[in-house]
């Protein structure tokens, strides 16, 4: 199990007991429709399954938590998945935390981890009608590769996806960027 800290966040694996909080923060059609594999409607069973998934050491996934004096609250997720035989970065942030730089901060940490564990290239994409995610991806240094139709379980259909890639250097320190 991997954990990492950023300036404001603790990135940690999900635990089965996280499902209630996960369900509370992701059960938003505006979030789920921008994800490839999360179903809509998002159900408590979906949250239980996601929170209980085993971790693959080559494709770690993290819950993003925001520590405070009152404890730590779940605000999203960021991690690596496998897409067409390559590592793909994915993330989502709870609506109340949009526009505060949390996606960029968490993704930089996950990109650094990807390089450390041996990935040499990362993919990332966003649906064309989600330009805010495109701005995050470009800010991270990904290069646009084109567009294609991609299925979204949340939408129940394929939508135009803008695709990006990044070549990783094991010695790259993205937190300094």
């Amino acid at each position: 199990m991997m954990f990492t800290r950023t300036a404001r966040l603790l990135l940690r694996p999900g635990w089965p007991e996280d499902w209630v909080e996960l369900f509370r923060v992701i059960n938003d059609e505006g979030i789920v429709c921008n994800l490839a594999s999360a179903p809509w409607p998002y159900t408590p069973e979906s949250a239980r399954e996601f929170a209980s998934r085993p971790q693959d050491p080559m494709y770690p996934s993290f819950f993003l938590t925001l520590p405070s004096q009152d404890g730590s609250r779940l605000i999203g997720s960021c991690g690596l998945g496998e897409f067409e035989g390559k590592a793909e970065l994915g993330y989502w942030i709870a609506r109340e935390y949009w526009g505060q730089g949390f996606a960029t901060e968490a993704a930089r940490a996950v990109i650094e981890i990807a390089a450390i564990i041996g990935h040499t290239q990362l993919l990332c994409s966003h649906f064309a009608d989600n330009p805010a995610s495109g701005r995050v991806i470009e800010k991270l240094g990904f290069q646009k590769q084109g567009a294609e139709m991609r299925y979204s379980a949340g939408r129940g259909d394929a939508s135009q996806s803008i695709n990006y890639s990044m070549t990783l250097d094991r010695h790259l320190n993205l937190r300094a960027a």
Side-chain angles (χ1 to χ4, degrees), residues 81-137:
E82 187 174 357
F83 181 69
E84 297 180 350
K86 296 183 180 176
E88 180 178 48
L89 176 72
Y91 56 87
W92 62 267
I93 301 293
R95 185 180 295 269
E96 64 190 278
Y97 299 98
W98 287 0
Q100 298 177 47
F102 291 119
T104 304
E105 185 174 330
R108 281 190 175 129
V110 173
I111 291 167
E112 197 170 298
I113 289 167
I116 290 167
I117 63 177
H119 292 289
T120 57
Q121 182 182 33
L122 279 183
L123 305 177
C124 198
S125 66
H126 69 90
F127 290 109
D129 58 359
N130 182 12
S133 193
R135 288 189 294 278
V136 169
I137 294 166

Side-chain angles (χ1 to χ4, degrees), residues 49-79:
E49 185 277 323
F50 188 82
S52 299
R53 293 191 309 197
Q55 287 280 340
D56 181 333
M58 289 304 293
Y59 299 97
S61 181
F62 301 93
F63 278 5
L64 311 180
T65 62
L66 185 60
S68 74
Q69 291 181 352
D70 301 329
S72 195
R73 83 182 58 129
L74 178 64
I75 67 163
S77 181
C78 185

